[in-house]
Amino acid sequence: MKNILLLLILLIGIQNLVLSQSREETLQRYSNGEKSLVVTYVGQGNNEKIIKRTYYFDNGTKKIEENIKDGKLHGRKQTWNIKGQILTDQIYENGNIKEVIKWCEYFENGQLKYSSQGNKEYYENGQLKSEGNGQSRKEFYESGQLKKEGDKEYYKNGTLKRDGDIVFLLPIKE
């Protein structure tokens, strides 16, 4: 009886291991031979389900990776540009966006233009242009000098230009 029970437990364990193992299959390729779509499955036979889809650019760089549950987006979905830079990082629940972790834009030269993390915007040379939200938002000149912070505004040389409704003029050079 004890041996039969052990055998039954072993068989159930093996079955669960086999059903939980995943396999990948390349479903589409570009004309240059690079993979275009790879699908990850879990389970076997009639119990096999898609759990992930990964799309690629024709240069082999990952384009989109999305997790699937019951045929819907569920879990993390990430997208990249052709240079491999992250564009979006989102969490889905039953096909609906639950959270945007990160969203980015880039200049053509590859330099970061905008990142939702910290609500940061950059000049094409990489210098921070602005960050934050509302009253805590800061703006900068391309030189890196503070331009605006809350109700305060500054000249390019760093001298206070405006504080709320009060305007300060730069002295005229003689």
Side-chain angles (χ1 to χ4, degrees):
M1 181 70 172
K2 193 175 186 181
N3 289 340
I4 293 174
L5 185 59
L6 284 172
L7 183 60
L8 186 59
I9 291 171
L10 181 62
L11 288 174
I12 291 172
I14 290 172
Q15 180 183 11
N16 286 339
L17 179 64
V18 167
L19 290 177
S20 67
Q21 288 180 339
S22 62
R23 70 175 181 87
E24 287 186 352
E25 185 177 344
T26 301
L27 295 184
Q28 296 175 359
R29 289 191 178 274
Y30 289 102
S31 57
N32 66 3
E34 287 286 344
K35 56 191 170 189
S36 169
L37 171 61
V38 174
V39 176
T40 305
Y41 300 90
V42 70
Q44 289 184 332
N46 292 337
N47 294 322
E48 188 173 64
K49 295 179 182 179
I50 296 173
I51 60 167
K52 184 167 47 170
R53 287 187 297 242
T54 308
Y55 298 86
Y56 295 86
F57 290 102
D58 62 0
N59 68 356
T61 304
K62 200 181 287 188
K63 183 179 191 178
I64 302 170
E65 185 173 89
E66 52 193 21
N67 290 288
I68 310 294
K69 180 180 177 186
D70 300 325
K72 297 178 182 176
L73 290 174
H74 190 83
R76 181 168 256 157
K77 176 183 177 182
Q78 295 177 300
T79 62
W80 296 266
N81 64 19
I82 199 161
K83 295 178 181 178
Q85 298 166 309
I86 188 98
L87 295 175
T88 62
D89 190 358
Q90 304 164 322
I91 303 294
Y92 280 77
E93 193 171 281
N94 296 315
N96 300 308
I97 292 179
K98 183 178 176 187
E99 179 184 358
V100 175
I101 297 170
K102 189 174 189 178
W103 176 65
C104 296
E105 289 180 40
Y106 297 87
F107 290 102
E108 283 196 30
N109 67 4
Q111 179 64 47
L112 184 61
K113 181 177 186 179
Y114 174 79
S115 175
S116 63
Q117 291 182 321
N119 196 23
K120 293 182 179 182
E121 189 176 358
Y122 297 87
Y123 289 102
E124 198 165 357
N125 68 2
Q127 180 65 46
L128 185 62
K129 185 175 186 179
S130 63
E131 67 179 341
N133 294 309
Q135 280 297 102
S136 67
R137 185 158 184 79
K138 293 180 182 180
E139 293 180 29
F140 302 89
Y141 289 102
E142 199 164 353
S143 65
Q145 179 65 42
L146 185 62
K147 182 178 184 178
K148 280 185 177 181
E149 182 176 20
D151 288 342
K152 295 182 180 181
E153 189 174 344
Y154 299 88
Y155 290 102
K156 285 185 177 182
N157 69 3
T159 306
L160 188 61
K161 179 179 184 179
R162 176 188 304 265
D163 190 352
D165 292 333
I166 301 170
V167 177
F168 302 92
L169 299 176
L170 278 175
I172 299 173
K173 293 182 181 180
E174 295 182 27

